[in-house]
Amino acid sequence: LHGDRFDRFISTYRRTSAFLSAAYAFTQRWLSRRGEWPKRLDRAHGGLSRLSAQIEAGAHGYAAANQVDVIVCGHTHEAKRSLFAPPAPGRRPIEYVNTGCWVDRPASFVTVGAGGVALNHCP
C-alpha cells in the first residue's frame, strides 16, 4: 500500500493537501537544484505530524484486520522495518516495512525473494 490512506491530514483535508502537494512539486522543480528544499520540507512535515507512527499504526490495523502476514508501505520517505505482535493466538507476527525513499541519500528500497522481504540501502 502507498500509505497515504493512513495519513489523517490527507484524508481530512483533501483540497489543502492537493495544494501543498503542488507547492512541494514546485519546490522540487524550481527552487532547489540539489534537492535541499524538498528534503527539508519533507522532514518538517514528517516530524511535525508524526507521520511515520501514523502510517505504521494504520498499516498494523489493516494487516491485523485482513489477516496479512507482511505489509509494505511507502509515503513517509522514512525507511523502517518492524514486527508487530501476533494479532491472535496461532497467528504469526506481522512484519511491517516502509520502503523509504529512493531519491534520498542513502537511497532505500525493498526486495522480495525466497528469503522474504528485505529493506535495502545504497549510498
Side-chain angles (χ1 to χ4, degrees), residues 23 46 49 77 86 100 104:
S49 65
H77 295 195
D104 243 348

Side-chain angles (χ1 to χ4, degrees), residues 23-86:
Y24 180 76
F26 177 81
T27 66
Q28 284 181 308
R29 289 185 188 98
W30 302 107
L31 297 182
S32 181
R33 295 195 185 272
R34 294 185 185 154
E36 288 303 314
W37 275 103
K39 192 182 300 183
R40 288 179 188 155
L41 290 172
D42 209 27
R43 286 188 184 133
H45 173 250
L48 291 173
S49 65
R50 295 193 20 87
L51 188 58
S52 186
Q54 240 184 83
I55 302 305
E56 187 173 356
H60 179 218
Y62 179 90
N66 291 285
Q67 297 186 350
V68 172
D69 294 325
V70 178
I71 188 159
V72 179
C73 289
H75 189 63
T76 66
H77 295 195
E78 183 181 334
K80 186 170 185 180
R81 184 177 187 179
S82 57
L83 283 177
F84 302 124

